[in-house]
Amino acid sequence: MRRDPNTELLSLRYDVGLSAARNALVERATTPFVVLLDDDFVFDQRTDIAALLRVLEESPDQLDIVAGSLVLHEPADSEPYSYAEMLRISDDGTELQLRRGSLGPVSGFEDACSRHDIVLNFFVARTLSLRRVLWDADLKLGEHQDFFLRAKNSGLKVASCPSLAIAIHAQDHSDTNYKRKRMREFQFLRKMLTKHNLRRLRLSTGPVYVDLDR
């Protein structure tokens, strides 16, 4: 790997997990803002990080996290998607539900951005805000809903601006070792539900994704 004076590579123990790795990076950051994205997301000319940062800095809503959108690498004419949704605990307290909808537009950016509880792992965030929540290091995978549920309960303000910055979802999962580790997602999602005294995770499209009673 060619060395870049502006880049620091952290060496962590093997299979430390997404959560512990992200925590290490956030704790190491010396800037007021950080950019987070999954390992299979890549940038191109449509990835305008400065636009997301501008929303974060200029909106009077005092946002903590501002996300962009993704487009699949193939087919070439794929439409961007954002997965910006709401999080809700069912009335009987047994189910974590993803719901379509928003908390309304972002002040000053009403035509481009809206507020939500959960967004993609492609966002710009305030470093200090992330340090208030961090990721649960026991969840090597299946950490997404847990992080944003705790962010919501901690009062973090989250927004999605899908038209302002687009990244590419490359989805190259051909490596056998990668696929084997990725298949552990349900194991950690079940652990996440147990942690929050919940029994099921339900997607916004309707079906139950994880059910501890099955």
Side-chain angles (χ1 to χ4, degrees):
M1 177 182 293
R2 187 175 63 182
R3 292 189 177 275
D4 183 331
N6 297 313
T7 303
E8 179 182 1
L9 180 64
L10 295 185
S11 296
L12 305 175
R13 64 178 173 81
Y14 177 73
D15 194 27
V16 68
L18 290 175
S19 296
R22 288 173 183 160
N23 290 344
L25 289 170
V26 170
E27 294 291 1
R28 191 79 170 185
T30 59
T31 54
F33 305 99
V34 296
V35 178
L36 181 135
L37 67 158
D38 282 347
D39 61 343
D40 53 358
F41 299 172
V42 295
F43 293 163
D44 70 0
Q45 69 277 6
R46 296 167 294 180
T47 312
D48 191 350
I49 299 298
L52 299 181
L53 181 59
R54 188 163 57 251
V55 176
L56 202 58
E57 290 186 301
E58 296 180 7
S59 174
D61 292 341
Q62 296 182 320
L63 301 169
D64 298 286
I65 295 173
V66 177
S69 61
L70 292 172
V71 64
L72 292 176
H73 179 63
E74 293 179 347
D77 58 351
S78 296
E79 290 294 321
Y81 59 94
S82 64
Y83 288 147
E85 298 182 319
M86 305 300 294
L87 288 171
R88 180 182 179 275
I89 303 295
S90 61
D91 291 338
D92 64 1
T94 63
E95 194 169 275
L96 176 59
Q97 301 171 339
L98 295 168
R99 294 285 187 90
R100 292 172 179 167
S102 76
L103 292 166
V106 171
S107 300
F109 299 87
E110 290 82 359
D111 294 335
C113 308
S114 52
R115 287 188 54 196
H116 302 267
D117 293 331
I118 184 169
V119 292
L120 288 166
N121 276 331
F122 164 42
F123 59 71
V124 179
R126 298 182 188 275
T127 304
L128 293 180
S129 297
L130 293 184
R131 287 176 181 166
R132 285 171 50 194
V133 180
L134 292 176
W135 286 264
D136 183 344
D138 289 334
L139 300 177
K140 294 185 177 183
L141 291 170
E143 80 299 334
H144 195 68
Q145 289 82 11
D146 172 77
F147 171 80
F148 279 102
L149 180 60
R150 291 185 296 104
K152 175 182 178 178
N153 293 338
S154 296
L156 267 61
K157 296 179 180 179
V158 178
S160 175
C161 305
S163 65
L164 296 188
I166 300 173
I168 299 173
H169 194 178
Q171 287 188 314
D172 181 11
H173 298 168
S174 58
D175 181 83
T176 302
N177 191 42
Y178 177 91
K179 287 193 292 186
R180 180 170 56 85
K181 288 184 169 55
R182 184 71 185 179
M183 288 299 294
R184 300 178 299 173
E185 178 189 17
F186 286 96
Q187 168 192 340
F188 288 106
L189 282 173
R190 295 175 71 87
K191 188 171 186 177
M192 179 274 293
L193 290 173
T194 301
K195 167 186 172 180
H196 292 283
N197 296 313
L198 298 166
R199 305 303 300 172
R200 291 174 298 281
L201 171 62
R202 186 179 296 274
L203 303 180
S204 60
T205 51
V208 172
Y209 191 59
V210 183
D211 190 338
L212 296 189
D213 298 321
R214 292 181 183 174

